[in-house]
Amino acid sequence: MTTRRHILIGASALSLTAALPALADGHGPIKVAGIYTVPVEQQWVSRIHIAAEAAAARGDIEYEFTENVANTDYPRVMREYAESGVDMIVGEIFGVEREAREVAGEYPDTAFLMGSSFKEDMGPANLAVFDNYIQDAAYLSGIIAGSMTETGNIGMVGGFPIPEVNRLMHAFMAGVREMREDATFQVSFIGSWFDPPKAKETAFAMIENGADIMYAERFGVSDAAQERGVLAIGNVIDTQADYPETVVASAIWHFEPTMDAAIAAVKAGEFTAADYGRYSFMDRGGSSLAPLGTFEGKVPQEALDLVAEREAAIKAGEFSVEINDSEPTSGS
């Protein structure tokens, strides 16, 4: 069942035609609609939602959203929002790429900012793409994991083997190997973006097979780690407070730079097909390593020193984490 919620903050809603002069000189809020295939509490979508709420609180946008939209229903919801006169639609079209691009082409006066595995030149001029390129933070979290594992056996549970998941797993694995060259990895995908019970069961199996640190790309993995007394590394959001004895570190995605850049482009009348993925890089403020919280003083200093060194080099443009979108497999 789809759920639509409204957050209207700022000046009164304007018709798209009436809004155009205001948008051109950067004044007044724009109308933004979010379309999400999962609940806004899900970690990946939550980062988009939080950034939109922050922009609404500032008065830059008026924001409403619909969650739990099935892929088969996604084009219809896109059309409904476009017909209602919103200025920008943000969402994720990984499972409905072709249909979503066709809809965007039908509404050239609406800006579409969509999470996608493909590039901007594969769609209409008003559809820009983004993805969570937080490989920098994932790599740093891997360094910490590599320093904390006792067995060198790491479990990794993902949703689907698509580029935005694959690149983070590869970056994490590269970080682990900085501290533990002989590390081995158990890799599995559950075929869902939101199925905590299945992720938990998959993690249990990996722990039974010797994993002493779990890479929690999906909800449910940290629960399994907590119940079995092993450690976990978080992804996209910081869950350390929820798992204080389990989650050592997390790679955090900050969608605010992406959202703010798109809002500015719409207001200036300059929104075009572009790849906004670069705004997720650490040197743009799009990702970070979460505070260690209860694990302060428990991570080896050698790892912390390397993390600090590499983080500074990444932000200075002197070190690049490889972007590897190929599907990772179990093994060394």
Side-chain angles (χ1 to χ4, degrees):
M1 180 181 295
T2 59
T3 304
R4 179 165 295 188
R5 306 186 202 173
H6 298 266
I7 300 175
L8 300 176
I9 301 176
S12 300
L14 301 172
S15 70
L16 180 60
T17 302
L20 286 176
L23 300 185
D25 63 11
H27 297 299
I30 65 171
K31 296 172 66 176
V32 175
I35 309 175
Y36 310 121
T37 62
V38 294
V40 291
E41 290 78 15
Q42 188 259 15
Q43 66 257 50
W44 196 87
V45 161
S46 74
R47 308 310 295 177
I48 304 171
H49 181 63
I50 288 170
E53 286 189 311
R58 293 195 307 264
D60 288 342
I61 68 173
E62 294 173 348
Y63 174 55
E64 59 181 308
F65 64 96
T66 303
E67 58 190 343
N68 296 314
V69 179
N71 284 330
T72 53
D73 208 26
Y74 208 94
R76 178 189 64 80
V77 179
M78 290 176 69
R79 286 190 175 93
E80 285 187 357
Y81 274 127
E83 291 286 348
S84 75
V86 299
D87 301 298
M88 183 169 75
I89 295 174
V90 60
E92 15 95 33
I93 57 172
F94 298 103
V96 64
E97 295 277 359
R98 179 179 61 80
E99 297 89 342
R101 292 166 189 273
E102 289 177 356
V103 172
E106 297 170 11
Y107 299 93
D109 294 329
T110 304
F112 292 84
L113 178 66
M114 312 304 280
S116 170
S117 293
F118 297 96
K119 293 300 182 182
E120 74 283 0
D121 57 2
M122 296 181 66
N126 60 324
L127 188 146
V129 299
F130 68 87
D131 211 340
N132 63 327
Y133 283 86
I134 62 170
Q135 66 281 342
D136 301 321
Y139 165 79
L140 297 180
S141 73
I143 293 174
I144 292 175
S147 73
M148 297 292 284
T149 180
E150 295 181 359
T151 66
N153 187 332
I154 312 292
M156 306 183 70
V157 180
F160 292 93
I162 66 172
E164 69 102 356
V165 175
N166 298 343
R167 73 176 67 104
L168 305 188
M169 285 189 164
H170 280 296
F172 171 81
M173 295 161 80
V176 170
R177 294 188 183 105
E178 292 279 14
M179 303 300 296
R180 188 78 185 242
E181 292 184 6
D182 64 342
T184 58
F185 301 90
Q186 301 178 59
V187 180
S188 183
F189 299 92
I190 63 172
S192 172
W193 291 130
F194 194 72
D195 191 343
K198 187 172 184 179
K200 186 176 182 180
E201 288 302 316
T202 303
F204 276 147
M206 292 180 175
I207 295 168
E208 291 296 321
N209 198 38
D212 69 345
I213 289 188
M214 295 300 305
Y215 178 73
E217 200 270 328
R218 293 290 102 193
F219 277 153
V221 177
S222 294
D223 295 286
Q226 180 175 255
E227 290 185 24
R228 292 293 188 268
V230 302
L231 301 177
I233 300 293
N235 181 59
V236 175
I237 62 174
D238 184 4
T239 57
Q240 219 278 322
D242 298 320
Y243 306 94
E245 303 304 318
T246 302
V247 174
V248 185
S250 298
I252 308 301
W253 184 28
H254 304 289
F255 193 70
E256 288 78 2
T258 305
M259 178 67 78
D260 294 349
I263 291 170
V266 172
K267 285 193 171 190
E270 298 174 350
F271 188 92
T272 60
D275 184 355
Y276 280 71
R278 188 68 180 80
Y279 291 98
S280 291
F281 282 39
M282 184 171 282
D283 63 358
R284 293 290 185 95
S287 62
S288 68
L289 193 63
L292 296 176
T294 58
F295 281 87
E296 282 286 353
K298 299 178 182 179
V299 177
Q301 190 60 45
E302 178 186 5
L304 296 179
D305 290 344
L306 182 57
V307 166
E309 175 188 330
R310 291 292 162 77
E311 182 175 357
I314 289 169
K315 290 180 177 179
E318 298 168 354
F319 183 85
S320 296
V321 176
E322 180 185 7
I323 297 175
N324 183 348
D325 288 346
S326 65
E327 181 176 345
T329 57
S330 297
S332 57

